[in-house]
Amino acid sequence: MGNVLSLVYMGIFLAAGAGLARRFVPHSDLQERVVFASAFATALLAGLPALAALVFDFTLPAALTALAAAAGLAVWGWLPAAGTAMGGKAERGFWLCILPALCLTFWLLFTHTLSLKDGAYWCGQSTYGDLPMHLALIQALAQQGDFPPGFSLLAGQTVAGYHYLGESVSSVFLLLGAGLKFACLLPQFTALPAVFGGVWLLARRLLKSAGAASLGFWLFFMGSGFGFVYFLGGEKGNFTRIFTAFYETPTNYVQENIRWVNPIVDMLVPQRATLFGWALLFPALALLAAFALEGRRELWPGLALLAAPLPLTQTHAALALVLICGVLFFRQLLTDRSRAALAPWLVFAAVCAVFWLPQMLGEILPGVQGGERFLRLSFNWANEGDNYFWFYIKNIGVVYLLLIPAFIAADKALRWFYGGGLVILLLSEFVVFQPNNYDNNKLLFVWHLLGCVLVAGLLCRLVKKLPQKAVGAALAGVLVFLATFGSVLTVGRELVSEYQQFSADAIAAADWAKEETDPHALFLTGTQHINAVASLAGRTVLCGSPSYLYYHGLDYADQQAAAKAMYETPSADLLEEWGVDYVVFSGFERSEFAADEEWYQQNCTLAFSHGDYAIYQVE
């Protein structure tokens, strides 16, 4: 029943998104309606429950209040109004791109998220590391109801500095009684048409060609560099290890400094913030192209709606939008400074400021102020030892080699838009915005998207100008093969990857914790990243995995030291000092610590025992 209610809930938000697409993108065609219905619904799902939670906390009344608001917007959006008639014809190239990409990503998400087999939960290569953290935040928000939420993987820590709306869009379905897997996948499936469709619409608008837009689409989502060369030849099994080893693929092979990952399997599938951030950013860029380059000033309300929740959905996407808007506003100042031309820009900026400042001042900036590992200078992104240009040549490949001629051949409007990408590249190469240098790729992929659009335009022009069509087709085929072969292998590897994430014993322990303990109870566990109590039960743990905490810029030294002491030299005073309610013993804890379980057997109550899991209640 919870899943059914969630479908109805999501349906009302989609109806609101479709109605707003009629209003905010006048004279739009079918493919635009599909994309902006998905994008606006995602923006509303991220924003409305969060706004209601400021009054009701993140509870069922907040979810129902958001639903009422969405229903009202749906009614308004579908009322008869001028300019809402559908225009244009369906583009076959759009569907030939979107449908295969959706099918691939849907399947990867479905098989890589809590796939139940033999009583255990299994995942894929890409979700093995990230998914437990996302599950913990999703569950804790729904179970505990605190808003803004606490960071359940580190006792006493808030989520300040972390974009958590990508988690809240699933937490709302848990409040309605949906299963965890269903709650995770439903908003992801709903948002993906905005991601893929937004890229195609942006390329179509900039290149004025459906064929070139389709090529740009595949260069971005299935493009790769020359990393596949490292798997050709050599000893027996060198090539086949792509499909068996853990993260040794042509797009992610750290041993040879290959760091430019495939955006589907390594960005969209495991990284929820990226998926929902791109679902807002890419359609916003498609609107921005029409708004800034075609003078369609009536589009600013749609732009503002997509931009409003961006800082707490994905901060990198918000920054990318600001930088591209800045370049295009400068273009506007050079071409037309009249009040009529500038007014929509200023209104758009003012509306964004109203929504962004509370998010930045209340949630984003407090998390980075004073953090040694945030906002620092660091040149050349994640390159470790290669020549600057060779690093990008072997990582990005054909697209990178053709950027300069493609820029020269492009029309002036496209060059201006790509100028925003160049600002992103420049900033990303010198400034790091988070503890992990590698995470600057969340900005660099926006620059790369615009580069793929540029190169697609160049290749299509060259093929058309060649006198012999067979030669042009052969040349294009070779270039596309070189530009995509690495990603084809990576996707193949992801399709066959399978790892156990939560054992049947872990699931049983999590079920008990969820049903029998207070949602705000504090659990002492090991610091492994696969933590069933946090991920499946939504309970707060004293100290989670350092691989999560460090890269969020959190100081966890005291909690980590206390966890070690409470396992190895436990005392009632220490447990009381940290407010621990339950202590977990499993294979993880017994291998991480020289644990004194006998002390807990003598001084605490054994509240749960199943398989290798034992949970003691602290009196």
Side-chain angles (χ1 to χ4, degrees):
M1 180 58 70
N3 290 353
V4 173
L5 292 175
S6 296
L7 284 173
V8 173
Y9 192 97
M10 191 72 248
I12 292 173
F13 273 78
L14 284 171
L20 294 177
R22 293 176 72 246
R23 294 275 185 168
F24 291 163
V25 191
H27 312 296
S28 50
D29 53 33
L30 176 60
Q31 49 268 16
E32 289 176 314
R33 293 285 175 91
V34 170
V35 172
F36 290 112
S38 169
F40 292 148
T42 300
L44 295 176
L45 188 61
L48 292 180
L51 288 174
L54 295 174
V55 178
F56 300 106
D57 287 329
F58 206 87
T59 58
L60 188 58
L64 296 178
T65 301
L67 179 65
L73 288 172
V75 171
W76 175 76
W78 284 98
L79 289 174
T84 58
M86 190 180 297
K89 62 179 182 179
E91 292 271 14
R92 185 172 60 177
F94 173 86
W95 300 105
L96 290 176
C97 290
I98 302 307
L99 293 179
L102 285 175
C103 290
L104 169 64
T105 313
F106 285 177
W107 180 251
L108 288 173
L109 283 168
F110 182 79
T111 57
H112 285 20
T113 304
L114 300 176
S115 181
L116 187 62
K117 186 174 72 171
D118 299 328
Y121 283 138
W122 292 69
C123 65
Q125 175 180 252
S126 63
T127 53
Y128 184 79
D130 285 359
L131 183 61
M133 182 196 72
H134 294 302
L135 293 175
L137 299 178
I138 291 168
Q139 278 279 34
L141 184 56
Q143 294 290 324
Q144 299 173 11
D146 300 328
F147 196 86
F151 196 81
S152 61
L153 295 173
L154 186 66
Q157 177 64 45
T158 69
V159 292
Y162 179 71
H163 26 238
Y164 54 79
L165 292 186
E167 319 294 6
S168 70
V169 295
S170 286
S171 301
V172 70
F173 297 115
L174 293 180
L175 295 177
L176 297 173
L180 181 56
K181 178 171 183 172
F182 192 87
C184 287
L185 295 180
L186 180 58
Q188 289 178 298
F189 285 3
T190 303
L192 279 171
V195 177
F196 293 124
V199 168
W200 196 92
L201 292 180
L202 173 64
R204 176 72 172 83
R205 184 144 278 153
L206 293 175
L207 296 174
K208 315 298 183 188
S209 163
S214 300
L215 177 58
F217 177 95
W218 291 116
L219 287 177
F220 178 68
F221 285 112
M222 288 298 294
S224 55
F226 301 128
F228 63 86
V229 174
Y230 292 107
F231 299 89
L232 302 179
E235 60 187 19
K236 183 179 180 180
N238 185 41
F239 183 80
T240 57
R241 67 190 166 102
I242 293 174
F243 304 97
T244 57
F246 188 74
Y247 272 123
E248 293 185 13
T249 70
T251 62
N252 199 337
Y253 190 34
V254 177
Q255 296 92 318
E256 295 293 345
N257 211 13
I258 298 296
R259 308 296 298 271
W260 199 261
V261 298
N262 176 268
I264 294 178
V265 302
D266 288 308
M267 303 287 280
L268 293 176
V269 172
Q271 300 183 30
R272 292 175 61 92
T274 297
L275 191 159
F276 293 110
W278 285 4
L280 302 178
L281 175 64
F282 292 165
L285 292 179
L287 286 182
L288 181 63
F291 175 81
L293 303 180
E294 300 172 11
R296 295 186 59 185
R297 304 301 186 224
E298 76 278 6
L299 296 177
W300 75 262
L303 258 175
L305 175 57
L306 295 177
L310 261 183
L312 283 178
T313 304
Q314 194 202 32
T315 312
H316 297 86
L319 178 57
L321 182 62
V322 167
L323 296 175
I324 295 173
C325 282
V327 170
L328 295 177
F329 182 68
F330 180 70
R331 173 184 178 273
Q332 182 64 56
L333 292 176
L334 294 178
T335 56
D336 185 358
R337 300 184 187 180
S338 67
R339 179 179 298 180
L342 296 181
W345 281 98
L346 300 178
V347 173
F348 169 52
V351 172
C352 286
V354 169
F355 286 98
W356 283 26
L357 285 177
Q359 297 178 63
M360 298 299 295
L361 298 177
E363 298 295 329
I364 300 298
L365 293 180
V368 302
Q369 288 172 348
E372 297 178 346
R373 298 182 294 274
F374 282 94
L375 293 176
R376 66 192 187 281
L377 297 178
S378 178
F379 176 64
N380 198 195
W381 181 47
N383 184 5
E384 296 179 358
D386 279 322
N387 170 275
Y388 178 86
F389 293 105
W390 173 239
F391 171 74
Y392 278 115
I393 289 171
K394 74 178 188 178
N395 270 274
I396 300 179
V398 170
V399 169
Y400 189 77
L401 289 171
L402 296 178
L403 281 177
I404 292 177
F407 183 83
I408 295 171
D411 60 45
K412 186 178 293 185
L414 178 53
R415 288 202 297 267
W416 270 106
F417 211 96
Y418 183 72
L422 290 178
V423 174
I424 292 173
L425 172 65
L426 182 65
L427 191 63
S428 301
E429 289 286 25
F430 288 96
V431 181
V432 176
F433 296 90
Q434 60 284 313
N436 188 2
N437 289 20
Y438 178 74
D439 279 349
N440 264 21
N441 69 346
K442 296 179 175 104
L443 282 170
L444 287 167
F445 263 91
V446 182
W447 157 71
H448 178 56
L449 166 61
L450 300 179
C452 290
V453 173
L454 267 182
V455 170
L458 173 68
L459 291 177
C460 287
R461 289 190 192 93
L462 289 177
V463 169
K464 288 180 179 179
K465 288 183 178 180
L466 288 174
Q468 295 182 338
K469 291 185 178 181
V471 174
L475 177 62
V478 170
L479 290 175
V480 170
F481 172 81
L482 292 174
T484 60
F485 184 53
S487 270
V488 170
L489 295 174
T490 294
V491 170
R493 162 56 179 153
E494 199 63 36
L495 285 168
V496 300
S497 66
E498 187 178 48
Y499 298 91
Q500 186 182 104
Q501 199 159 54
F502 296 100
S503 67
D505 291 345
I507 295 171
D511 288 343
W512 175 87
K514 185 176 179 181
E515 294 170 4
E516 301 296 335
T517 68
D518 186 276
H520 289 89
L522 178 60
F523 280 72
L524 174 64
T525 70
T527 60
Q528 70 278 3
H529 86 280
I530 298 176
N531 191 317
V533 168
S535 298
L536 302 182
R539 298 302 185 257
T540 299
V541 299
L542 179 67
C543 185
S545 170
S547 62
Y548 295 146
L549 304 176
Y550 176 84
Y551 289 120
H552 283 84
L554 301 176
D555 182 2
Y556 57 92
D558 290 344
Q559 289 92 330
Q560 187 178 37
K564 179 178 175 65
M566 281 185 273
Y567 272 112
E568 298 186 349
T569 56
S571 70
D573 291 340
L574 191 56
L575 290 164
E576 183 177 359
E577 177 186 346
W578 284 95
V580 172
D581 298 300
Y582 297 91
V583 180
V584 177
F585 279 86
S586 71
F588 291 115
E589 288 76 21
R590 295 182 182 107
S591 63
E592 180 179 355
F593 305 105
D596 185 359
E597 189 172 356
E598 184 177 349
W599 185 92
Y600 286 97
Q601 293 171 348
Q602 296 173 355
N603 294 275
C604 299
T605 301
L606 179 62
F608 173 83
S609 178
H610 186 281
D612 73 338
Y613 271 79
I615 301 177
Y616 296 90
Q617 183 174 5
V618 179
E619 301 296 343

